[in-house]
Amino acid sequence: MRFGVWYHFRNPSAWSRPWGELYPAILDQITLAEELGYDSMWTSEHHFIDDGYLPSSLTMLAAVAARTQRMRLGTLILLLPLHHPLRVAEDAAVVDILSGGRLDLGVAVGYRVKEFEGFEVSHERRGRVMDEAMEILTRAWQPGPFSFHGEYWNFDDLEVTPKPLQSPMPLWIGGQSKPAIRRAARFGCGLLPSSTTPFDVQKAYHDALRSAGRDPADHSMKCFRALYCCEDAEHGWREIRDHYLYQANDYRRWYREAGDAVDPDLEDAEQLDRGNFICGTPNDCEAAIRRLREQIPFEEFVHWAFPPGFPVDKASRSLELFAREVMPRFR
């Protein structure tokens, strides 16, 4: 079993640090994660967030590529409809080359209304935009020029160069909806599902792969979750809960704005569902991951290593404890 770390690079005003200090501190932590034996590092993408939520995943991964030698680098998730797919193909190829062939490109359709308004992309048609972009991506990395004529993009005889070192480029699709699962199967992508998806993800994914004429044995899933490994579960929860509350309320608001949920903001951290977070001793973390693996038989567990505003030194302490005490139990 493999293990990864996942970053948003957020800097909320309640706990703000100068950006010139925060980015280098997180990059140092990522270097530490590689030294500790983590297998991968992933970034998320959002736009127009007041805490500076990372808007440029591939740019950040280029910086990480220069600081690391072994761990794979992935996007969890790049919001593909907000980008021109030819530019994504070019940037991803450059990062793959810089990293020595270590890129995993995870993409998703997105949902935040303000992002689609800001980039003048139709929120209602984002699924159709995504499908065209996926087709362009997969064709762009093949040898020779190609043409494309669709509803949103039209061009003739273009060739994306240079090509990635990896062929084929590992592509993943994120999402917790059945349309996202069907899209992953149709394009032959790995799946990055939510660990709280309210249906049998493996069955839905495997059924979709078979319907698309693909062998489920050739495709895999990863699992991602917030995790804080500490010596005392209750003390650790008190340390980190306000940072989880900040994150949870942001996502509740964004889902409401997108019309995907109606849940109101939580008033305090006591209202958080602790079952959605892994916070505890190494034994607690091991047990929680084994339970998750019974629900979703993933081949890699990726955990959110740095909640918004959390002290970097405490996050590093968690990384070290988890690597020393938990990861060897799954190797």
Side-chain angles (χ1 to χ4, degrees):
M1 183 171 164
R2 296 165 57 85
F3 292 90
V5 286
W6 176 32
Y7 290 89
H8 300 174
F9 291 85
R10 306 182 71 176
N11 194 13
S13 60
W15 305 287
S16 66
R17 295 181 56 180
W19 285 105
E21 294 178 8
L22 183 64
Y23 273 17
I26 297 176
L27 288 171
D28 286 344
Q29 186 180 98
I30 293 167
T31 304
L32 171 66
E34 182 176 67
E35 293 169 357
L36 291 169
Y38 287 89
D39 300 291
S40 63
M41 173 268 173
W42 302 76
T43 60
S44 286
E45 170 193 350
H46 274 301
H47 301 270
F48 319 124
I49 309 295
D50 57 7
D51 64 14
Y53 197 124
L54 183 66
S56 303
S57 286
L58 290 171
T59 302
M60 182 60 73
L61 290 184
V64 176
R67 298 279 298 263
T68 57
Q69 300 295 323
R70 176 190 54 79
M71 67 191 332
R72 293 197 63 83
L73 312 177
T75 54
L76 182 65
I77 299 293
L78 187 142
L79 303 174
L80 187 55
L82 302 182
H83 303 269
H84 196 296
L86 288 174
R87 187 56 190 264
V88 172
E90 291 177 331
D91 289 348
V94 169
V95 174
D96 196 55
I97 293 167
L98 287 173
S99 65
R102 291 186 283 138
L103 181 64
D104 283 275
L105 189 66
V107 297
V109 71
Y111 63 91
R112 268 192 83 233
V113 175
K114 183 177 287 187
E115 294 172 331
F116 286 86
E117 292 175 345
F119 288 108
E120 298 183 307
V121 176
S122 170
H123 184 267
E124 292 75 19
R125 298 181 180 181
R126 65 193 188 278
R128 292 156 67 181
V129 175
M130 176 80 170
D131 286 340
E132 284 196 12
M134 286 295 298
E135 184 176 346
I136 292 169
L137 266 188
T138 56
R139 294 179 63 187
W141 294 317
Q142 296 174 8
F146 72 106
S147 301
F148 184 86
H149 297 282
E151 185 177 358
Y152 303 100
W153 289 287
N154 288 274
F155 51 84
D156 289 297
D157 298 320
L158 295 181
E159 182 170 9
V160 167
T161 58
K163 305 296 184 186
L165 296 185
Q166 299 178 96
S167 181
M169 168 74 78
L171 272 174
W172 300 80
I173 284 185
Q176 55 189 4
S177 68
K178 292 183 179 179
I181 292 171
R182 290 193 295 268
R183 181 176 288 114
R186 189 165 70 254
F187 287 100
C189 299
L191 185 66
L192 301 169
S194 168
S195 54
T196 57
T197 301
F199 55 84
D200 188 334
V201 173
Q202 183 190 36
K203 183 180 185 306
Y205 182 43
H206 286 186
D207 287 348
L209 285 166
R210 292 188 188 99
S211 295
R214 303 182 187 277
D215 185 351
D218 297 332
H219 300 80
S220 60
M221 295 187 291
K222 301 183 188 292
C223 178
F224 51 100
R225 199 69 174 257
L227 180 144
Y228 184 48
C229 191
C230 50
E231 299 288 356
D232 181 274
E234 292 307 313
H235 177 73
W237 181 250
R238 289 192 296 272
E239 285 186 311
I240 205 164
R241 62 187 180 184
D242 287 340
H243 303 270
Y244 286 161
L245 175 66
Y246 174 91
Q247 177 85 348
N249 278 336
D250 267 354
Y251 280 104
R252 283 172 173 251
R253 183 173 65 256
W254 298 342
Y255 286 137
R256 288 198 305 269
E257 292 170 353
D260 294 335
V262 295
D263 298 327
D265 285 5
L266 301 176
E267 294 181 4
D268 59 61
E270 294 304 316
Q271 295 178 293
L272 287 169
D273 181 354
R274 289 183 63 169
N276 291 332
F277 307 91
I278 299 174
C279 176
T281 65
N283 287 341
D284 296 331
C285 292
E286 177 192 2
I289 292 170
R290 293 195 186 280
R291 287 194 299 270
L292 278 174
R293 211 173 187 191
E294 292 175 358
Q295 302 169 28
I296 305 174
F298 48 85
E299 51 87 19
E300 182 165 1
F301 178 81
V302 180
H303 80 262
W304 181 25
F306 183 71
F310 197 62
V312 176
D313 60 333
K314 291 183 179 180
S316 295
R317 181 186 66 192
S318 169
L319 283 178
E320 293 185 46
L321 183 60
F322 186 82
R324 185 175 68 247
E325 299 290 339
V326 181
M327 283 164 45
R329 304 179 192 185
F330 292 90
R331 295 299 197 190

